[in-house]
């Protein structure tokens, strides 16, 4: 029997005004009914275009130039528009990355779902609406009957994605294509959505193509995986084989770039140098050759074909890595050679920065004439912590829990509503004028969005010169020297001074941002999600760089991220935030391995791990529900609304931080997952909480 | 929604205050006295003095302002000695006719501008698009009065299809009773507007067509037609509605030219005559009224916007 | 009587009825109905073309057969006034006409009006200190149809009839009320006296004025429907759309033939002309720019541009003068202007004939003094007809320049500069340049062009004219008499247009323009001899006395004369509409009009 | 001053070296730098790139040609084509086009071509100057309102709202009746309302730019607000402002012509295209055709305004795509 979906030698071009992007270049894939296929790869390698080619929904200028797509035996890539329309939404459903922009903002969700039904089924309006409510029930949307008349903006991000799924499933397609369905969502929600898709797949018996850049996401979900690189399939096999024994150097490199495994060893991460090639002029030979550490001359001359040594495991490489999978004979290939890093600096420096009972409320105002204050967003509520010289404190938590706000309070971009920030013993909040500006030098900020944080009209040189100019440091020549030096530090070529931000890649821009932060020789750097927008390979470059320069320059970091693995990899200590509160803090490993707070536990469980076995081992874990509004935070313990252990007291009494080890591990919970150590002299509830 | 309206209303009051101050100041910029201009060349000094006193122009500016505001608050928009009627009566007589013109013109221009703008967006960079782009730029760049007069020359003088001037009459009924007389004024009036709408619609539709939700609709299997009319249309309309509200003052301005060229007995014509005659009270009254209308129009546009855009409705 | 194109139209059989649609001049609308009005509502159109149709003045001027400027007793409700007592007493006999409500048009109606002038003279448009009613000692109705007026001195019978009695307008007793529906005469104004300070008349005036200020009610008001003229109002709106229909009980003759006359307003000449071209009008004017050149000898163009549209042409003469009014009291140029030789030089640099030919295409006549020269009339003194109507100072740049140089001026950098102050004259300093700023009224293209041509010619002999255009009304706003060399005298030369002798004051005497302190003497001209001559025109009925005044004025140049558009309009009349002529005094007489089949 | 120790020469510091280590060090830029500028020695400046985008638009180039032509025609033309535009010539009133007068004469005997030149001077000067004044003032006003924020912002913007809700034509009519319309006053009058829209736009732009991270980055390194405004906000808003100014020129020319039609334009003997056009339109229905009084001026206005509109459109494209990779 033919597979459900068969893509053979698919080639898709996108015509630009002056050039042609060969976005998909000879992709062959197949998918059985009921099966989940994961497609992974770096940004720009053609995943989305492959998916859209199947749907024949290519952007303007895009068209299939070769190959075939067959659905249940029928060639759908050659159907005319009318016929293809009957396939879309009916035989194949699709969901997209950003659920907010992917829904029509001016149409009720009910109508949008009903539309899908009406397009393919001879039904009345009422019947279509009934069906809409039914599928909304199916995707776990409470009170679906009432909510069908609401608009997308009235839903939270996770709920919107559920609506998208409902829409895609309204006609019970045989195939669901999910293009990065969870990339825009929090890990906690991500887990819920992935589980939902999985569950529906099983219940409806459909096949799923799950497109993602995150190896963790597919580890527990996909039956088979295709790794894409530069418009081609680099390697494809079943999930467990791939994770256990990647054969393509690219796949291997992706694994090595993940901080998950290195978190314990704190080894240097492997980073793939350079960038994926420009698909307007794809290189000849193996497309990965330029970035491959094993590449030989042959790789640059001849193009490897996708072939397998065993059935079901194919890869396009002349010099595969990993172990040969034949008759138990394992041929060892040289593994990655990585220098071991010096272990994370030992704790014990003096306290460099202390946040004391920080509070930040953002007023919510109404009225354009006289701004009335009608409430406040409690973004940060009484948070205290310390960072010692040379250490890294990682802050994690769901989106909107106040991480960024803390960072901004520390660098002085926001004034706290209450509390103090002490730097080297001196109060930062109270200082003014020259003193303030001098202090500014010691704490610098690295922004999340490397693009938005660089003035598009300034060349890199000017960007780096600006801090020196502002602080009146050095002559122009001194400044030039220092700029060149700093570019060397962050690994940018000296010719970069003349380039504009848009002429850099994402990783390079982040390095530039880092260089700017370093220009004033700060002692503390607040890095707000510096790697969140980057591909794993680039992420590894930046993480490595941050660690290298920390040892080299004796920097102290406040590292903010929503990715626990990254935080754990980089930090000595971790603080977990929930809705403006610090709910747990302590040495990185202790917090990660033996969390005391149910929220921390939930976060850890939600984070996908690039290990199929570990993923399958997780059962019914994660955090339920969604983050409540910060304008009216829940009384007592703010987490209680989502906590599996919550009892009445949680609503009445706000838990305080209690010590859970002598190393400074603390958590604020009435029903911790492990018993607290007796309150002794090491920690008192009132004093600023010392961290290791 | 009501809270929002109340807030907008508060804003409007403040705006109105500024408007009254600005207009009064503007009008006092006139050289010589208003009375002298009103009385004409035969007036003697004594007569000027008498009338200055009669109309209170000999009092300090702020007193005049307060008096005027007091009048306004009592619904008294003043009296036109040139026309021998109260400004309110004048407005009651002429405003409805202008509204007819503006409405007809706007509707006609929207009827053409919206679909053609959509057509252009869908068929962008084709010959049809270029031709229509040319037409709309012509609409932008040609002085209204020039278009109007050429229309008269072509359609009224050269080939007698339409009358050269607008219907005359005191009431809307009389105006509407002569629809053939409305053709040329309405065409001339809608041309510029057409250019505006079609241009905006084109770019708005183009923006919307690349939105993710359009891709979603296509992924559902919706036809291009459905995508366009069922999804893109309404979202694109939102920007047009805002624009409609914002362009109210220029709608009124456009009407002045049309009314002057076609002798259309509306408010614009009355305003123009008042300016020529230095008929202060009419100028003041009309400006305030036009402002109120604009503010109301903006408010209506906001409501329309809210109706179209649920994101605003529920805030 | 007009010649070529008009008479060439074939005459058909007169038919009764039909509606004649008449174009109002661009920018003109009728706006006031009450014949006793304040200066705010004074307009020749309102008066002579609108109110006169319904409310006949005591004495009508103008006629339908020739262009003469004289009183028309046949169309008036009273017989010619009889002057007695050496010119100190006037007796007026009413003809016994009836108002449309049955009241008779009698002496009391005139007393009613006179009482009102007593009560509200400061408001009355025609009032000027010393003139009516100040020059009346007493008046009374000596019988139902006779009124006797005693004057404070002997006046010229021409002047008193043409310029004083012409302002009176009988008013029906139905208007002597203070509320709508009140009994006729209940207002008590007709019997009011100075004893109560004319309180009753003031009340009646206030009531009637308040009524008249509701223009939208004109056609429906029970007050204004009481008429003694041949027409009554059937519809009125402030945009200028006005329709009148015959008054069936009109006592005079001829009686109206038409069913209605409909007046249509226009904002611009071109729109009016379009209406003519599209046959939307029965009577309208052809804008100058659309007329072919006029031969000097004829009063109409050689070809009729609207012949194919079915119109014949009629000239519409105007009885007036055009000028620039230099300000004798302006601190910058007052001393220059006070020199007669400079005024003469200015006058000689105005190429009236050239301007008439090129800019007005022949549709204008030169102006040379206070009396209009066209249409020919008895008032024009011989001096004004000199030099083809240019008067004593015809266009001559050489002479003008010589005049200046002989007075100590010489051209420096293209501008005449005073080199010898002793010759230049009082108040003129050495080095002063002959520069003048003309404030001219914009709106009429040919008028604007005229000022430019004048500027251009003057520039050639070193007189630097700076033109500043403003709307007519704005200039009027600035044209108040002012103290010598005072700061409020900041306008140097007013060039807003001119004056037409179309009431009050059909005799072109100089009291409103040239008398010291006169209301329209914006240039503050003052001359004792002039004042004396003007006064004599009021007291002596001799034409020679008038000519003396006119000659002196033409010589003295209180104003700089510029061409008067004349015939100021060429009217196009539908071929099937007959009996249409236009009086230079603006009175419109549609009761003579009739359609032919 | 605490300087960071320079990297040890010779041996690359542990991490840094390997991060940038490329297969071949020499090709580093080629591989690392994306975009077409990647392989060039010196990247193209923003101006260059903007110009490229602009120049790709043929219509915009043609429009630029039209504008250049109009400017040359109006300002250089009189040096080549001599006419008397000072003295009226009553002998040549309304003369027909001929060798001596290429487009005939007007109602005062002025040569129409020469008149178009001086009319063009007025129209272009007033158009450009009014646009510049309005845009400058509007920019300052809007930037201040946007940057200061709070109550002052509210107050300033209510004034703008008020101005915007008075139909502009009424303001213009009143002002031009009140003043003698000279060039300078026309500029002032047109600018007096046009700045309102500009200020609103610039305020909006400032509000968004104010929250940009790169503006905040200035604060982090200790810079003060004036630096943020001058170095970051203004340069980044300049695109919007220039585009706005371009449209403003077209609008101003049109408004000027409208005023000419209402008889409120510049004073004779000075003239502008609008006054010429409306003067000519008086002859629209003459039995004899005086087309040269009407169409040349009309076409000049339309062409110039279309050209400025096209240029504005193309400039907007150029500025908006400045950030995109091309
Ligand atoms: N609309 C478009 N026009 C031109 N080129 C495009 C367009 N969309 C994508 N491309 C190009 O096509 C190639 C493949 O893009 P695609 O979106 O499929 O990548 P992806 O693997 O989905 O990446 P990501 O993880 O960023 O979504 C890239 O080189 C991209 O630059
Ligand atoms: N300027 C502001 N005005 C009002 N509310 C704000 C402001 N900045 C942040 N908030 C609110 O404060 C809360 C915390 O925001 P913050 O940006 O610190 O969260 P975060 O943890 O960094 O989230 P993310 O992962 O999405 O970056 C959120 O509810 C946010 O909406
Ligand atoms: Mg993608
Ligand atoms: Mg954040």
């Amino acid at each position: 029997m033919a597979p459900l979906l068969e893509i053979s030698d698919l080639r898709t071009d996108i015509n630009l005004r002056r050039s042609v992007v060969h976005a998909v270049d000879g992709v062959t894939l197949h998918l059985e009914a009921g099966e989940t296929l994961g497609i992974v790869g770096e940004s720009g390698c053609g995943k989305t275009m492959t998916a859209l080619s199947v749907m024949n929904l290519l952007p303007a200028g895009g068209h299939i130039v070769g190959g075939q797509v067959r659905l249940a035996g029928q060639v759908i890539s050659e159907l005319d528009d009318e016929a293809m329309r009957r396939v879309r939404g009916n035989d194949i459903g699709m969901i997209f990355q950003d659920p907010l922009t992917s829904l029509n903002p001016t149409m009720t969700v009910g109508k949008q779902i009903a539309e899908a039904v009406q397009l393919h089924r001879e039904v009345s309006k009422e019947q279509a609406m009934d069906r809409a409510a039914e599928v909304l029930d199916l995707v776990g949307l409470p009170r679906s009957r009432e909510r069908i008349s609401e608009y997308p903006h009235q839903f939270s991000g996770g709920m919107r994605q559920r609506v998208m799924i409902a829409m895609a499933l309204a006609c019970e397609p045989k195939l669901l294509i999910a293009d990065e369905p969870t990339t825009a969502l929090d890990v906690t929600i991500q887990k819920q959505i992935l589980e939902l898709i999985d569950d529906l797949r099983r219940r409806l018996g459909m096949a799923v193509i799950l497109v993602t850049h995150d190896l963790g996401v597919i580890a527990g979900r996909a039956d088979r995986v295709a790794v894409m690189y530069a418009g081609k399939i680099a390697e494809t096999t079943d999930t467990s084989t791939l994770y256990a024994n990647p054969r393509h150097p690219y796949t291997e490199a992706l694994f090595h770039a993940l901080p998950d495994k290195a978190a314990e060893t704190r080894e240097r991460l492997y980073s793939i140098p350079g960038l994926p090639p420009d698909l307007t002029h794809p290189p000849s030979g193996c497309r990965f050759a330029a970035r491959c550490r094993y590449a030989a001359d042959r790789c640059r001359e001849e193009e490897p074909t996708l072939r397998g040594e065993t059935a079901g495991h194919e890869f396009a490489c002349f010099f595969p890595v990993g172990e040969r999978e034949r008759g138990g004979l394992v041929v060892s290939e040289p593994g990655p050679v990585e220098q071991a890093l010096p272990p994370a600096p030992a704790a014990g420096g003096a306290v460099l920065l202390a946040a004391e009972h920080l509070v930040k409320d953002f007023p919510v105002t109404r009225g354009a004439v006289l701004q009335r204050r009608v409430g406040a967003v409690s973004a940060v509520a009484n948070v205290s912590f310390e960072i010692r010289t040379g250490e890294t404190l990682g802050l994690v938590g769901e989106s909107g829990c106040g991480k960024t706000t803390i960072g901004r309070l520390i660098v002085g971009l926001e004034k706290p509503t209450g509390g103090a920030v002490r730097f080297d013993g001196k109060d930062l909040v109270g200082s003014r004028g020259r003193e303030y500006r001098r202090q500014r030098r010691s704490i610098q900020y690295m922004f999340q969005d490397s693009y938005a944080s660089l003035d598009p009209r300034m060349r890199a040189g000017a960007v780096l010169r600006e801090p020196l100019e502002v602080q009146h440091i050095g002559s122009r020549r001194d400044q030039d020297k220092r700029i060149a030096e700093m570019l060397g530090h962050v690994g940018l070529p000296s010719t970069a001074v003349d380039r504009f931000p848009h002429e850099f890649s994402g990783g390079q821009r982040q390095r530039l941002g880092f260089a700017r932060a370093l220009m004033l020789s700060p002692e503390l750097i607040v890095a707000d999600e510096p790697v969140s927008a980057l591909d794993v390979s680039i992420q590894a470059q930046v993480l490595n760089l941050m660690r290298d320069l920390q040892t080299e320059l004796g920097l102290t970091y406040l590292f903010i991220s929503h990715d626990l693995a990254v935080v754990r990899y980089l930090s000595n200590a971790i603080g977990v935030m929930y809705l403006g509160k610090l709910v747990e803090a302590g040495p990185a490993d202790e917090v990660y391995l033996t969390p005391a707070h149910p929220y921390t536990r939930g976060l850890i469980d939600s984070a996908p791990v690039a290990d199929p076995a570990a993923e399958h081992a997780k059962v019914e874990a994660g955090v339920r529900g969604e983050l409540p509004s910060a304008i009216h935070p829940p009384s007592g313990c703010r987490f209680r609304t989502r906590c599996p252990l919550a009892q009445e007291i949680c609503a009445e009494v706000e838990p305080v931080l209690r010590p859970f080890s002598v190393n400074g591990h603390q958590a604020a919970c009435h029903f911790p997952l492990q018993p607290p150590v007796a309150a002794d002299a090491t920690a008192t509830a009132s004093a600023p909480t010392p961290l290791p | 929604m009501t809270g929002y309206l109340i807030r907008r209303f508060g804003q409007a009051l403040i705006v109105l205050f500024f408007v009254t101050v600005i207009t009064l100041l503007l009008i006092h910029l006139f050289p010589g006295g208003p009375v002298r201009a009103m009385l004409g060349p035969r007036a003697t000094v004594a007569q000027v003095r008498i009338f200055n006193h009669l109309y209170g122009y000999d009092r300090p500016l702020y007193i005049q302002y307060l008096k005027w505001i007091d009048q306004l608050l009592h619904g008294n928009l003043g009296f036109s000695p040139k026309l021998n009627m109260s400004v309110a009566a004048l407005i009651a007589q002429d405003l409805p006719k202008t509204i007819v013109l503006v409405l007809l013109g706007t509707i006609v221009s929207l009827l053409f501008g919206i679909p053609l703008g959509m057509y252009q967006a869908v068929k962008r960079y084709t010959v049809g698009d270029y031709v229509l782009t040319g037409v709309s730029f012509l609409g932008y760049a040609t002085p209204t009065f020039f278009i109007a007069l050429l229309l008269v020359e072509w359609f009224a003088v050269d080939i007698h299809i339409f009358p050269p001037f607008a219907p005359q009459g005191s009431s809307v009924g009389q105006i509407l009773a002569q629809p053939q007389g409305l053709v040329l004024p309405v065409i001339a009036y809608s041309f510029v507007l057409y250019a505006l709408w079609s241009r905006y619609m084109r770019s708005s539709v183009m923006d919307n067509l690349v939105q993710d939700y359009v891709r979603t609709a296509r992924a559902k299997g919706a036809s291009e037609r459905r995508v366009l009319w069922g999804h893109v249309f309404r979202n694109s309309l939102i920007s047009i509605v805002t624009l409609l509200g914002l362009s109210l003052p220029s709608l009124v301005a456009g009407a002045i030219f049309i009314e002057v060229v076609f002798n259309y007995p509306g408010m614009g014509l009355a305003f123009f005559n008042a300016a020529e005659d230095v008929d202060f009270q009419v100028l003041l009254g009309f400006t305030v009224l036009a402002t109120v209308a604009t503010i109301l129009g903006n408010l209506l546009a906001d409501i329309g916007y809210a109706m179209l855009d649920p994101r605003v409705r529920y805030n | 009587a007009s010649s070529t194109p008009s008479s060439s139209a074939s005459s058909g059989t007169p038919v009764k009825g039909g509606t004649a649609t008449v174009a109002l001049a661009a920018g003109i609308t009728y706006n006031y109905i009450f014949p006793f009005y304040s200066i705010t509502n004074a307009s020749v159109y309102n008066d002579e073309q609108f109110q006169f149709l319904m409310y006949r003045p005591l004495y009508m001027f103008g006629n339908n057969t020739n262009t003469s400027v004289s009183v028309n007793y046949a169309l008036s409700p009273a017989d010619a006034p009889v002057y007695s007592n050496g010119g100190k007493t006037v007796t007026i006999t009413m003809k016994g006409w009836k108002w449309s409500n049955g009241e008779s048009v009698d002496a009391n109606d005139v007393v009613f009006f006179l009482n009102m002038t007593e009560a509200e003279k400061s408001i009355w448009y025609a009032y000027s200190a010393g003139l009516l009613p100040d020059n009346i000692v007493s008046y009374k109705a000596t019988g139902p149809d006779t009124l006797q007026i005693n004057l404070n001195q002997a006046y010229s019978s021409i002047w008193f009839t043409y310029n004083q009695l012409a302002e009176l307008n009988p008013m029906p007793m139905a208007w002597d009320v203070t509320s709508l529906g009140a009994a006729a005469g209940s207002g008590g104004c007709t019997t009011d006296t100075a004893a109560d300070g004319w309180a009753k008349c003031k009340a009646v005036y206030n009531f009637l004025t308040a009524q008249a200020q509701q223009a939208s009610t004109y056609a429906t008001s029970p007050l204004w429907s009481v008429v003694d003229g041949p027409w009554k109002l059937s519809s009125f709106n402030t945009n200028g759309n006005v329709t009148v229909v015959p008054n069936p009980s009109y006592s005079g003759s001829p009686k109206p033939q038409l069913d209605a006359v409909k007046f249509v307003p226009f904002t611009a000449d071109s729109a009016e002309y379009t209406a003519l071209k599209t046959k939307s009008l029965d009577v309208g004017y052809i804008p100058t720019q659309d007329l072919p050149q006029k031969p000097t000898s004829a009063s109409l163009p050689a070809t009729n541009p609207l012949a194919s549209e079915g119109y014949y042409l009629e000239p519409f003469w105007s009885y007036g003068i055009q000028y620039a009014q230099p300000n004798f009291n302006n601190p910058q140029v007052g001393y220059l202007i006070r020199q007669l030789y400079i005024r003469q030089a200015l006058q000689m640099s105005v190429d009236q004939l050239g301007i008439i030919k090129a800019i007005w295409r022949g549709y204008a006549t030169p102006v040379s003094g206070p009396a209009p020269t066209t249409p020919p009339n008895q008032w024009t003194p011989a001096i004004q007809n000199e030099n083809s109507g240019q008067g004593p100072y015809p266009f001559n740049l050489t002479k003008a320049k010589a005049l200046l140089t002989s007075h100590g001026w010489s051209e420096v950098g293209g501008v005449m500069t005073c080199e010898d102050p002793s010759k230049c004259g009082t108040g003129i300093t050495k080095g002063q340049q002959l520069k003048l700023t003309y404030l001219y009224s914009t709106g009429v293209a040919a008028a604007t062009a005229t000022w430019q041509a004048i500027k251009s010619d003057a520039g050639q002999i070193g007189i630097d004219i700076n033109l500043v255009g403003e709307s007519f009304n704005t200039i009027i706003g600035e044209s108040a008499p002012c103290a010598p060399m005072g700061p409020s005298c900041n306008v140097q030369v007013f060039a807003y247009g001119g004056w037409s002798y179309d009431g009050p004051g059909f005799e072109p005497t100089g009291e409103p323009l040239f008398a010291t302190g006169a209301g329209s003497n914006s240039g503050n001209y003052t001359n004792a001899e002039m004042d004396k001559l003007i006064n004599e025109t009021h007291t002596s009925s001799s034409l020679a006395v008038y000519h003396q005044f006119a000659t002196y004025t033409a010589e003295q140049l209180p104003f700089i004369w510029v061409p008067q558009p004349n015939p100021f309009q060429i009217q196009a009349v539908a071929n099937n509409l007959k009996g249409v002529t236009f009086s230079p005094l603006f009175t419109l007489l549609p009761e003579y009009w009739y359609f032919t089949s | 001053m605490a300087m960071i120790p320079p990297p040890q020469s010779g041996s690359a510091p542990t991490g840094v070296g390997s991060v940038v280590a490329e297969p071949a060090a020499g090709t580093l830029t080629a591989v690392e730098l994306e975009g077409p500028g990647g392989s060039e020695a010196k990247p193209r400046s923003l101006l260059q790139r903007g110009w490229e985008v602009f120049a790709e638009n043929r219509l915009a180039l043609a429009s630029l040609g039209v504008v250049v032509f109009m400017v040359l025609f109006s300002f250089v033309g009189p040096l080549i084509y001599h006419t008397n535009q000072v003295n009226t010539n009553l002998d040549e009133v309304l003369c027909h086009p001929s060798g001596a007068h290429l487009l005939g004469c007007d109602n005062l005997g002025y040569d129409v071509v020469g008149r178009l030149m001086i009319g063009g001077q007025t129209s272009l000067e007033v158009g450009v100057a009014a646009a510049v004044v309005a845009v400058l003032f509007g920019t300052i006003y809007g930037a201040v309102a946007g940057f200061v924020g709070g109550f002052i912002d509210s107050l300033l913007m209510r004034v703008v709202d008020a101005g915007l809700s008075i139909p502009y034509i009424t303001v213009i009519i009143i002002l031009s009746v009140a003043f003698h319309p000279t060039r300078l006053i026309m500029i002032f009058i047109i600018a007096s309302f046009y700045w309102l829209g500009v200020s609103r736009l610039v305020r909006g732009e400032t509000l968004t730019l104010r929250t940009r991270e790169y503006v905040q980055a200035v604060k982090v390194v200790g810079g003060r607000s004036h630096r943020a405004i001058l170095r970051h906000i203004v340069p980044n808003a300049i695109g919007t402002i220039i585009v706005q100014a371009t449209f403003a020129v077209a609008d101003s020319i049109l408004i000027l012509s409208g005023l000419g039609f209402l008889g409120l334009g510049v004073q004779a003997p000075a003239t502008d295209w609008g006054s010429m056009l409306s003067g000519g339109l008086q002859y629209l229905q003459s039995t004899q055709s005086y087309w040269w009084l009407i169409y040349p001026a009309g076409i000049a206005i339309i062409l110039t305004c279309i050209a400025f509109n096209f240029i504005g459109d193309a400039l907007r494209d150029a500025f908006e795509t400045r950030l995109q990779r091309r």
Side-chain angles (χ1 to χ4, degrees), chain C residues 66-69 294-299 315-322 352-353 356 362-381 384-385 388-390 499-501 506 508 562-569 582-586:
Chain C
N66 60 44
T67 53
S68 76
V69 181
K294 183 178 81 72
T296 349
S297 53
S299 57
F316 184 172
W317 297 97
S318 133
Y319 188 60
I321 54 174
Q322 293 279 315
Q352 292 207 60
L353 298 180
I356 288 167
Y363 301 91
T365 45
V367 172
S368 50
T373 51
T374 42
N377 63 84
Q378 67 270 37
W379 311 112
T380 321
Q384 283 194 239
N385 285 329
S388 334
Q390 293 182 80
W499 190 267
S500 64
Y501 297 101
F506 293 101
V562 300
Q564 159 85 4
N566 227 352
F568 102 112
Q569 280 175 349
F582 299 88
S583 159
L585 296 179
F586 273 78

Side-chain angles (χ1 to χ4, degrees), chain A residues 400 403-405 448 528-529 560:
Chain A
K403 307 183 294 291
T404 297
T405 309
Q448 165 170 4
D528 187 2
E529 315 242 15
I560 295 170

Side-chain angles (χ1 to χ4, degrees), chain B residues 128-140:
Chain B
D129 178 30
Y130 286 127
V131 168
L132 287 173
T133 297
V135 170
S136 50
F137 272 98
L138 210 60
Y140 273 146

